[in-house]
Amino acid sequence: MAERRMISRKIAEDDRFVDMHPVSKLLYFYLVLNADDDGFVGSVKMINFLTNADQNNYDELLENNLILEPTKNGVYVITDWYAQNKIEPKIYKATEYLSVRALLFIKTNFAYTTNPDEKDIISPVDYWIKQGRDKKTPPEIQAQQYLEQFQETSKKVPRSVEETSKKVLAQNRLDKNRLDKSRLEQNRPDQTKKEKINKENNYKYINSSSNGGMGETLLNDGSSASSIENNATTENKGNSRENSGVDNRVNNQLDTNNNQDNINSLFNYLNGISTTDIPKDNKRLANVFDMLIHNGYEIEDIQLGIDNIMSVANQIPQYQNEQSLTKLLIQHLPEYTKQILEQSSSND
């Protein structure tokens, strides 16, 4: 974390700041000084000791919108962080509180907000940071770019494996290398054995086209994903046909039958925390659950991924219906689940 932070005179000399208690002012300075490169502060015991601050001082900063506490778990966000600080890309390091950052939006004055209904919002913070934390392009143009990108991503479903590029394959290998292998081997020895067998049979990992290219599935060399229903299947023509007349697609599906209880439990969990009721026969979402389980993700990690997505969806009106929420989960659940596992691995 950098040793220097900036505070704007416009903030420090504003009436809302000047009228505060001296301890609250000092607390704000120390929060800014100890914030990470996204303006997040998660450990405040030392700050409280140095400033003699208590909850009343935090409440005063919250009331004046100088800080935010999106999840009420002790992680504070400097509201005007990007209005005051500029971190060069070569030294920028993303916050470790990704689940908190996912709840925030960036405004046209580059301040944070948790209210998605504000009129001067550019985009969700995650998208804005992914695009390079752009302050040069006019905010209204950035907002339009985000809207177009969101609409395009929501309706785009690749029709075949050939539509995935070398870049997708390279990203998949990178994601695979990031997995905590020791944790997978300890908790899922049967899964590790299956992966070794698959390697011997010349299988390879590629991104699934059933969820917008966000997840992983196993396909044999030369196979294609021409429909949503067969994206999570393999066609290994070399398999022996011990039970004649049995549909090969069913035989080669990625452990769907073995994983059915876990898939059903994930549907129950999702519908238990959601106002919608997504049916368990939704094949696209079931394939996403099955793919994550097959690739070694624990049920608890997938549930945390669902929690993070629901935290965002519950604040955005367009995700309050079954179809939109399902599409959001299909597109982003693998990404959020990977973040959970990577964060857990880094904390071990």
Side-chain angles (χ1 to χ4, degrees):
M1 189 174 69
E3 294 294 324
R4 296 177 178 85
R5 299 303 189 192
M6 298 189 67
I7 295 179
S8 170
R9 285 182 57 190
K10 183 178 180 180
I11 302 296
E13 295 179 359
D14 188 85
D15 286 348
R16 61 175 175 164
F17 191 89
V18 172
D19 292 338
M20 289 195 307
H21 190 279
V23 173
S24 300
K25 297 176 186 177
L26 183 62
L27 173 61
Y28 180 77
F29 289 134
Y30 267 94
L31 288 173
V32 172
L33 183 62
N34 286 273
D36 61 26
D37 288 352
D38 283 325
F40 289 64
V41 189
S43 181
V44 297
K45 287 186 177 180
M46 179 57 71
I47 295 176
N48 295 342
F49 174 77
L50 293 172
T51 62
N52 199 29
D54 56 26
Q55 188 58 47
N56 291 329
N57 301 116
Y58 284 94
D59 290 341
E60 191 170 16
L61 292 177
L62 290 167
E63 290 171 4
N64 285 285
N65 198 36
L66 289 165
I67 63 173
L68 303 170
E69 191 185 9
T71 57
K72 308 301 179 184
N73 65 349
V75 177
Y76 297 96
V77 183
I78 309 300
T79 306
D80 301 289
W81 176 256
Y82 278 111
Q84 301 180 93
N85 288 274
K86 179 181 179 181
I87 313 296
E88 295 298 327
K90 63 182 179 181
I91 63 173
Y92 166 77
K93 183 178 180 181
T95 183
E96 64 180 278
Y97 305 109
L98 296 178
S99 60
V100 179
R101 196 178 74 180
L103 304 177
L104 300 177
F105 300 85
I106 196 77
K107 299 167 62 176
T108 54
N109 62 352
F110 303 109
Y112 287 131
T113 181
T114 57
N115 183 7
D117 297 324
E118 291 194 31
K119 296 181 179 180
D120 55 348
I121 285 178
I122 297 177
S123 71
V125 170
D126 281 352
Y127 176 85
W128 186 74
I129 290 178
K130 182 179 179 181
Q131 297 303 112
R133 300 172 296 143
D134 184 8
K135 287 188 176 182
K136 296 181 180 180
T137 305
E140 59 272 14
I141 294 180
Q142 293 192 53
Q144 182 61 30
Q145 290 173 344
Y146 167 71
L147 180 60
E148 294 173 355
Q149 174 71 18
F150 179 80
Q151 293 173 342
E152 182 66 22
T153 302
S154 298
K155 67 182 181 181
K156 183 176 181 182
V157 179
R159 288 172 294 179
S160 70
V161 173
E162 285 72 24
E163 290 182 40
T164 62
S165 63
K166 292 182 180 179
K167 181 179 179 181
V168 175
L169 294 173
Q171 180 63 44
N172 180 70
R173 287 193 295 269
L174 178 61
D175 290 339
K176 183 174 179 291
N177 289 336
R178 287 176 177 173
L179 293 176
D180 187 339
K181 295 181 180 179
S182 62
R183 181 182 176 189
L184 295 179
E185 291 174 355
Q186 179 180 357
N187 295 332
R188 295 182 65 86
D190 56 330
Q191 177 64 32
T192 303
K193 182 177 180 181
K194 291 177 184 177
E195 290 178 356
K196 291 180 179 179
I197 295 174
N198 288 335
K199 290 180 180 178
E200 294 174 359
N201 290 330
N202 295 321
Y203 283 92
K204 62 183 180 181
Y205 282 100
I206 68 171
N207 272 17
S208 169
S209 60
S210 67
N211 58 1
M214 300 300 294
E216 301 171 26
T217 185
L218 283 169
L219 294 178
N220 197 11
D221 291 337
S223 63
S224 64
S226 58
S227 67
I228 292 173
E229 285 79 4
N230 70 2
N231 278 336
T233 66
T234 60
E235 299 179 0
N236 183 2
K237 297 182 179 179
N239 288 342
S240 60
R241 300 185 178 182
E242 297 178 357
N243 299 318
S244 60
V246 179
D247 190 343
N248 285 333
R249 289 179 60 194
V250 176
N251 282 338
N252 293 308
Q253 193 170 2
L254 296 178
D255 294 333
T256 300
N257 293 333
N258 295 335
N259 293 334
Q260 194 59 53
D261 290 342
N262 287 331
I263 293 173
N264 289 338
S265 71
L266 288 172
F267 272 106
N268 291 335
Y269 181 80
L270 170 62
N271 290 326
I273 63 175
S274 169
T275 57
T276 62
D277 188 13
I278 301 176
K280 296 179 182 180
D281 61 357
N282 187 300
K283 293 183 179 180
R284 295 185 67 193
L285 186 54
N287 284 344
V288 174
F289 288 155
D290 181 54
M291 173 199 64
L292 290 169
I293 296 169
H294 179 87
N295 283 291
Y297 294 99
E298 298 294 328
I299 299 300
E300 293 77 9
D301 293 331
I302 303 174
Q303 289 176 345
L304 288 174
I306 294 173
D307 288 342
N308 289 342
I309 290 181
M310 289 303 304
S311 296
V312 178
N314 287 335
Q315 300 186 49
I316 303 179
Q318 60 261 38
Y319 293 136
Q320 301 306 308
N321 64 77
E322 174 193 324
Q323 183 177 3
S324 296
L325 179 58
T326 301
K327 186 178 295 184
L328 183 69
L329 286 159
I330 290 171
Q331 290 175 341
H332 295 292
L333 182 57
E335 173 188 8
Y336 275 81
T337 305
K338 287 178 185 176
Q339 291 178 358
I340 292 295
L341 184 56
E342 290 172 359
Q343 185 175 354
S344 176
S345 299
S346 64
N347 291 337
D348 289 343

